[in-house]
Amino acid sequence: MKAPDDLAARGAPRTRLRRQRRAELPVDATVLARYLIGRYLVRDHPDGRASGRIVETEAYLVGDAAAHAFRGETPRNRSMFRARGHAYVYFIYGCWHAINVSAEVQGVGAGVLLRALVPRDGAALMATRRGLDSVRDGRMLARGPGRLATALAIDRSLDGTDLCARGPLWLATDGAPVPRVGVTTRIGLSREAHRLLRFYSRAAGDLPAVSGPRAALCA
């Protein structure tokens, strides 16, 4: 069976994307991280639309020493304390941006890092932003949080964006059945990396888009 993106490339009809309502998003970082697998992130830009199906997420909880919200609210992490469904965008390691989805009620800091997606719209545009000559394998365009943000032209100007409202960046669903979801440990952390808070699509066509070592993936 072909993956949805392969079917789209062959001209098969695709269902229309519908904006996610805030009421549909779970109020809990762990549950939201699992829920977002199979949903879409859409970036509407003057250059065109780029979107992709989310295939990997990572939860950062209340009281989590690895979370940016651990020491309380600051001007930098304020968006993480907004009601679920807002974008928290930050610059990391001096070289790329990353995007989280706020995951709690207003005033409580928690979030879900979007780690990887499989392109639906605008693969050529994503490749250009990534500095690639062509789209050799769409699953590689947004494999990892920095590549994802680069491919969708996400930067600090989008911090605080309401992802459930009309705007340049939003969450969507196509109503299709969600894939089987795997869970494993977080990666790239110095604290609490052992926690089983990274979620990913177990669909065979999606696995190449999931970041990190294959050996780290489990049921």
Side-chain angles (χ1 to χ4, degrees):
M1 179 178 178
K2 291 284 187 179
D5 48 306
D6 294 329
L7 288 172
R10 290 165 49 208
R14 297 186 300 179
T15 54
R16 186 174 181 176
L17 294 179
R18 175 183 65 76
R19 196 179 315 276
Q20 289 268 202
R21 306 179 185 95
R22 200 175 326 280
E24 297 172 323
L25 303 181
V27 187
D28 178 277
T30 305
V31 182
L32 180 60
R34 180 183 287 271
Y35 174 86
L36 288 174
I37 299 297
R39 269 65 184 190
Y40 291 81
L41 183 65
V42 183
R43 173 71 165 108
D44 286 323
H45 187 277
D47 292 340
R49 171 172 290 184
S51 69
R53 182 166 38 84
I54 299 166
V55 296
E56 184 186 5
T57 61
E58 205 166 70
Y60 288 86
L61 318 180
V62 175
D64 183 346
H68 287 189
F70 182 62
R71 298 189 183 280
E73 184 175 340
T74 67
R76 179 182 185 241
N77 69 16
R78 185 163 294 144
S79 296
M80 210 172 181
F81 288 79
R82 295 191 176 188
R84 67 195 186 283
H86 286 81
Y88 166 46
V89 181
Y90 57 91
F91 194 58
I92 190 168
Y93 302 137
C95 55
W96 64 67
H97 290 89
I99 177 172
N100 281 247
V101 179
S102 61
E104 274 286 350
V105 297
Q106 181 73 32
V108 178
V112 175
L113 174 64
L114 302 184
R115 290 197 58 92
L117 58 78
V118 172
R120 170 189 165 106
D121 303 297
L125 181 57
M126 292 186 198
T128 298
R129 289 170 176 160
R130 289 278 322 283
L132 304 175
D133 294 332
S134 62
V135 182
R136 294 182 179 85
D137 186 343
R139 294 170 299 187
M140 300 295 104
L141 289 178
R143 182 177 183 263
R147 291 173 179 172
L148 185 158
T150 300
L152 268 62
I154 294 172
D155 58 24
R156 283 283 292 171
S157 69
L158 295 171
D159 181 51
T161 299
D162 186 347
L163 301 174
C164 299
R166 291 184 180 277
L169 189 65
W170 44 286
L171 292 169
T173 179
D174 64 357
V178 297
R180 287 194 304 153
V181 177
V183 59
T184 187
T185 54
R186 299 185 293 191
I187 54 177
L189 301 176
S190 58
R191 293 180 290 182
E192 301 201 40
H194 66 285
R195 302 181 72 171
L196 297 174
L197 292 172
R198 183 158 63 102
F199 300 87
Y200 62 95
S201 168
R202 295 185 65 192
D206 292 340
L207 285 175
V210 176
S211 63
R214 300 278 78 78
L217 303 182
C218 57

